[in-house]
Amino acid sequence: MTSYVLLRIAFGLTIVTHGLPKLTGSAHGSMANPMAGSTNLIENVLGLPFAPQLALFVALLETVGGLSVAVGFATRLFAPMLAIQMAAICFALGPTYPWIDRGIEYPIILGFIALLISMNGAVAWSVDTRLGREL
């Protein structure tokens, strides 16, 4: 049980590290402007409309959703959304995202962890448990 809780916390905080730079406009790794990178991916790779709005949604999902999963609040709401996001990243970048260059294994493993959390919920040491119900 403790290892699962630690996995949930580590996963949530890892996701936050991707959302917060988008919202604050700060660099993230080799990306000088991660929000622009997300907007470009959504618009030019996925070909979806409303790219700036979707990029903002992704940034909020990663920040608010990641924090929520970490503390175990509305875990069954946010974890599946994050699993879908990771699947979309794998779909969008898979053919051009070789294992040796940053690696597609990162969104794959995060997607499977999100799926695991989706199925198990927050469990112990969580806001959902304190509230007596899972959202």
Side-chain angles (χ1 to χ4, degrees):
M1 183 68 66
T2 303
S3 59
Y4 174 77
V5 171
L6 292 174
L7 178 66
R8 187 195 77 222
I9 293 167
F11 169 79
L13 294 177
T14 299
I15 295 297
V16 169
T17 68
H18 292 274
L20 206 51
K22 290 178 180 105
L23 292 178
T24 61
S26 57
H28 180 66
S30 63
M31 294 183 79
N33 186 343
M35 183 63 91
S38 290
T39 304
N40 180 57
L41 175 70
I42 292 166
E43 186 171 25
N44 298 319
V45 177
L46 294 174
L48 297 174
F50 308 109
Q53 293 83 1
L54 285 172
L56 179 59
F57 175 76
V58 166
L60 289 170
L61 173 62
E62 290 171 345
T63 305
V64 175
L67 282 173
S68 294
V69 168
V71 299
F73 177 70
T75 305
R76 290 193 190 262
L77 171 68
F78 288 114
M81 294 169 72
L82 291 164
I84 291 168
Q85 178 194 0
M86 293 301 126
I89 290 169
C90 290
F91 173 77
L93 299 177
T96 61
Y97 207 44
W99 294 86
I100 198 163
D101 182 22
R102 293 179 60 209
I104 193 170
E105 70 273 14
Y106 189 68
I108 288 173
I109 195 67
L110 287 178
F112 277 103
I113 292 170
L115 191 59
L116 172 75
I117 295 169
S118 299
M119 292 186 286
N120 290 307
V123 300
W125 299 344
S126 68
V127 173
D128 285 347
T129 301
R130 291 260 179 186
L131 294 174
R133 65 179 199 198
E134 290 188 87
L135 302 175

